[in-house]
Amino acid sequence: MVELNGFACSRLPTMGIGRERLYVNQLSQAELDELSNKRPTLTYGQAKQAPPSDFIPAHVAFDKKVFLESQGIELNPPEKMIFDPYTELRKMPMRMYVTPSSFDQLKQFLTFDKQVLRFYAIWDDTENMFGENRPFIIHFYLADDTVEVRELHERNDGRDPFPVLIRRQRLPKSFVDKMKTFPRCVLEISNQEVLEWYTVKDFAVGKPITLLGRSFFIYDCDEFTRQFYYEKFGITDFQPVDVKKKPPEEVPQIIPPYNGYGFLEDSLQNCFSLLPQPPRKNFIKMLENDHKVLRYQVALESPNPEERKRQFILSYFLSTDMISIYEPPVRNSGIIGGKYLGKTKVPKPGSTTDNPVYYEPADLTIGATVEVFGHRFIITDADEYVLNYMESNAESFPATTLQSLRDHFAPRRMAVQAAESQSAAGMGRQELEEVVKQVQEQLKHHNYLSNSSMREAFLHHDKDGSGFLDKEEFFALCNRFNLPVSNALVNKVRRQCGQCVRSLAFS
């Protein structure tokens, strides 16, 4: 190995077999001719062949200026480079004999170190889409006249917690005229481009200030800032400005009129939410009054006499305060009976959607008129359970309602009491069974068969619906249907029923 220019190179053999000298490193005449056309280079690689005399490099051949001039197009002269402050600074000598400024920055730093003025400002960005009033804190450092802007974050404001909007730096207030064409995206702003920087005199409470293109309104400051301005400039007017946004005026919600579909409370939920929730129910009331129903017999009020004959059953459900109406079917009446009104709350006439008033059990008295969605019904009768329920809960119902039911049921109760007293003083149970057997034997002897038209005839002659007929009408109907009539047997039945001599029970 041989070291050449700091590199280890292998040494070629110079002696062959038989110790004869080798001439491999000697150049031939052809190689010498080729080497004569090589240009000497300062590289360690192989020598390159010299280009011909008419050779033009590619970067020259494809140059835009050369190409356009070859095409006969004249170009403008080249422009001067933009003034670069850093480049000019490098051209200046290291030492400059310039009179120093009278302002001592070191003294300013030692005097005002760690003294910061704090201003509370707000940035009004409502002109832009989705803009809002955002609060900020402006710090002015007296040590070096630098400014820092920090953002105030509130809980659940939906913004990323970036504390600093503008880092601590000197902020320019006005620029030179050449700043209109100054390439800010390439070069930094220096003292040559700025005419004036922001100082402590430019900040005041109640005035706007523009920092890097953003306008901030200063509405307050801290106590140290007030004391500094009072000692330095004699300013005492630091009245805070109220920048809180006034709440918008409440727009009254207008409830549309009820359209008649569904329950009023259920339909009203569509006016309060896009996803309506079902109205709340009184579960305690539903559990206490479960399966408790007050039934009334009502008649339809109509100028048509055929309509006035129709009888209905009105059911009031105490658990939900709902009303249903059912019409018992009547044979050969020409009217299909069945459900007339499903379970629903019935509002009183004159009630509004804002304050609906529904029918209650206290409103359902004998002879009262109930208006159900434009149809008027008159209460003619009620179940005895209605009176028993109201008497057991007398404190929940008015006295007039309870008294009307008592007056309506008074004749029936008196009749029942009289029948019970007479039956107790009259025949016993054994005698009653003997009378029933005698009636059955007489009916068997005459081949009596039950006939539905017989009951309809008795009901037809009972005009007042009391269940009793006069003696003459009773015997006339018995003769009409060929019923066996025995005066002695009829008298026994009459005494057993406890009625007067002139009327007989047929039911």
Side-chain angles (χ1 to χ4, degrees):
M1 302 293 290
V2 179
E3 185 176 354
L4 181 62
N5 296 332
F7 294 94
C9 302
S10 61
R11 185 175 59 180
L12 299 177
T14 58
M15 301 294 294
I17 300 175
R19 299 183 66 83
E20 293 183 2
R21 185 178 180 182
L22 298 177
Y23 298 97
V24 292
N25 290 336
Q26 295 181 1
L27 299 177
S28 63
Q29 185 64 32
E31 293 176 346
L32 293 174
D33 295 340
E34 183 180 359
L35 186 59
S36 61
N37 294 328
K38 301 288 185 178
R39 285 185 180 180
T41 56
L42 298 177
T43 61
Y44 293 101
Q46 295 181 358
K48 298 181 180 179
Q49 187 176 3
S53 58
D54 57 348
F55 174 75
I56 299 176
H59 66 276
V60 178
F62 293 98
D63 184 60
K64 187 175 182 180
K65 181 178 180 180
V66 177
F67 175 76
L68 293 177
E69 289 179 352
S70 64
Q71 299 295 325
I73 301 176
E74 295 183 0
L75 300 178
N76 296 329
E79 297 181 356
K80 295 182 180 181
M81 291 294 294
I82 299 176
F83 174 79
D84 187 4
Y86 179 75
T87 305
E88 298 297 329
L89 182 62
R90 292 295 299 270
K91 294 179 181 180
M92 296 176 64
M94 296 297 294
R95 289 188 177 183
M96 295 181 60
Y97 300 95
V98 180
T99 304
S101 175
S102 59
F103 181 76
D104 192 356
Q105 296 183 356
L106 179 59
K107 183 179 178 181
Q108 179 187 4
F109 175 78
L110 295 177
T111 305
F112 299 105
D113 187 23
K114 297 182 181 179
Q115 295 186 12
V116 182
L117 305 181
R118 176 178 292 183
F119 300 93
Y120 300 98
I122 190 171
W123 175 36
D124 189 2
D125 192 33
T126 55
E127 295 180 357
N128 299 327
M129 184 179 294
F130 308 113
E132 58 183 355
N133 293 328
R134 300 172 58 183
F136 291 89
I137 295 179
I138 301 177
H139 288 158
F140 188 88
Y141 294 86
L142 298 174
D144 53 358
D145 295 340
T146 55
V147 181
E148 180 188 43
V149 180
R150 304 180 68 91
E151 184 176 0
L152 289 178
H153 290 278
E154 299 178 357
R155 188 177 182 180
N156 298 329
D157 59 355
R159 296 186 178 274
D160 294 332
F162 293 112
V164 179
L165 179 68
I166 301 176
R167 65 178 178 85
R168 180 179 176 181
Q169 57 182 311
R170 295 184 68 187
L171 296 180
K173 181 179 179 181
S174 59
F175 299 92
V176 296
D177 297 337
K178 296 181 180 180
M179 281 299 299
K180 297 180 180 179
T181 59
F182 184 79
R184 299 186 183 184
C185 60
V186 179
L187 300 179
E188 295 181 356
I189 299 175
S190 62
N191 294 328
Q192 284 75 13
E193 289 81 25
V194 179
L195 290 178
E196 185 180 1
W197 301 88
Y198 274 107
T199 61
V200 70
K201 299 180 181 180
D202 300 320
F203 295 86
V205 177
K207 294 182 180 180
I209 185 171
T210 303
L211 304 178
L212 298 182
R214 297 193 181 189
S215 181
F216 297 91
F217 179 77
I218 301 176
Y219 63 90
D220 199 2
C221 62
D222 61 354
E223 186 63 28
F224 174 76
T225 305
R226 294 190 182 95
Q227 188 67 23
F228 175 81
Y229 273 89
Y230 174 73
E231 296 176 355
K232 189 73 173 178
F233 305 103
I235 300 176
T236 58
D237 187 12
F238 292 97
Q239 186 66 25
V241 181
D242 187 11
V243 294
K244 293 182 180 180
K245 188 176 181 180
K246 297 181 180 180
E249 298 181 358
E250 295 184 0
V251 180
Q253 186 178 12
I254 301 176
I255 304 300
Y258 178 56
N259 55 8
Y261 292 97
F263 298 125
L264 178 60
E265 292 82 0
D266 193 20
S267 301
L268 193 61
Q269 299 299 323
N270 295 279
C271 303
F272 298 146
S273 175
L274 294 177
L275 300 176
Q277 300 294 330
R280 293 184 178 181
K281 299 180 181 179
N282 191 352
F283 291 99
I284 297 178
K285 181 179 180 180
M286 295 174 63
L287 293 174
E288 292 178 352
N289 300 305
D290 191 22
H291 300 294
K292 293 183 180 180
V293 183
L294 306 181
R295 291 181 175 86
Y296 302 85
Q297 183 178 358
V298 296
L300 184 62
E301 181 180 330
S302 175
N304 190 354
E306 295 181 358
E307 295 288 339
R308 289 196 297 267
K309 294 180 181 179
R310 299 173 64 181
Q311 301 293 327
F312 300 86
I313 297 176
L314 186 146
S315 301
Y316 188 93
F317 298 87
L318 296 173
S319 59
T320 57
D321 296 333
M322 294 185 181
I323 294 177
S324 68
I325 300 177
Y326 175 79
E327 184 178 8
V330 180
R331 188 176 181 182
N332 297 329
S333 64
I335 299 175
I336 300 176
K339 182 171 66 173
Y340 185 81
L341 176 67
K343 293 174 62 175
T344 183
K345 290 185 177 181
V346 180
K348 291 183 179 180
S351 63
T352 60
T353 56
D354 298 334
N355 188 18
V357 180
Y358 300 100
Y359 279 105
E360 298 178 353
D363 303 321
L364 306 178
T365 59
I366 302 300
T369 302
V370 180
E371 184 174 346
V372 181
F373 303 117
H375 299 273
R376 298 170 63 88
F377 296 88
I378 301 175
I379 300 177
T380 59
D381 197 0
D383 283 347
E384 192 172 357
Y385 173 76
V386 177
L387 179 59
N388 297 334
Y389 177 78
M390 290 189 177
E391 288 179 346
S392 60
N393 301 276
E395 65 279 358
S396 302
F397 301 97
T400 55
T401 303
L402 188 58
Q403 188 62 32
S404 66
L405 290 173
R406 287 175 179 174
D407 296 342
H408 179 73
F409 284 99
R412 297 185 186 180
R413 289 189 172 184
M414 293 176 60
V416 171
Q417 292 176 0
E420 290 178 353
S421 61
Q422 290 183 8
S423 62
M427 295 185 301
R429 183 178 181 85
Q430 186 176 1
E431 295 179 359
L432 178 62
E433 292 179 356
E434 292 178 359
V435 173
V436 173
K437 289 181 180 180
Q438 293 178 8
V439 174
Q440 291 178 352
E441 288 178 359
Q442 288 193 10
L443 293 177
K444 289 181 181 179
H445 291 318
H446 291 79
N447 295 326
Y448 168 75
L449 297 176
S450 60
N451 192 356
S452 59
S453 60
M454 182 188 302
R455 181 174 178 82
E456 294 179 0
F458 277 94
L459 292 173
H460 178 71
H461 284 76
D462 185 15
K463 303 296 184 180
D464 54 357
S466 61
F468 299 93
L469 293 176
D470 292 340
K471 188 174 181 180
E472 291 79 7
E473 293 182 357
F474 178 78
F475 282 106
L477 290 175
C478 291
N479 294 330
R480 175 182 173 184
F481 291 99
N482 298 323
L483 288 176
V485 179
S486 175
N487 292 330
L489 186 60
V490 170
N491 291 332
K492 290 183 180 180
V493 174
R494 186 184 62 206
R495 288 195 303 269
Q496 185 66 25
C497 295
Q499 302 298 325
C500 61
V501 179
R502 297 295 300 171
S503 62
L504 293 172
F506 65 88
S507 56

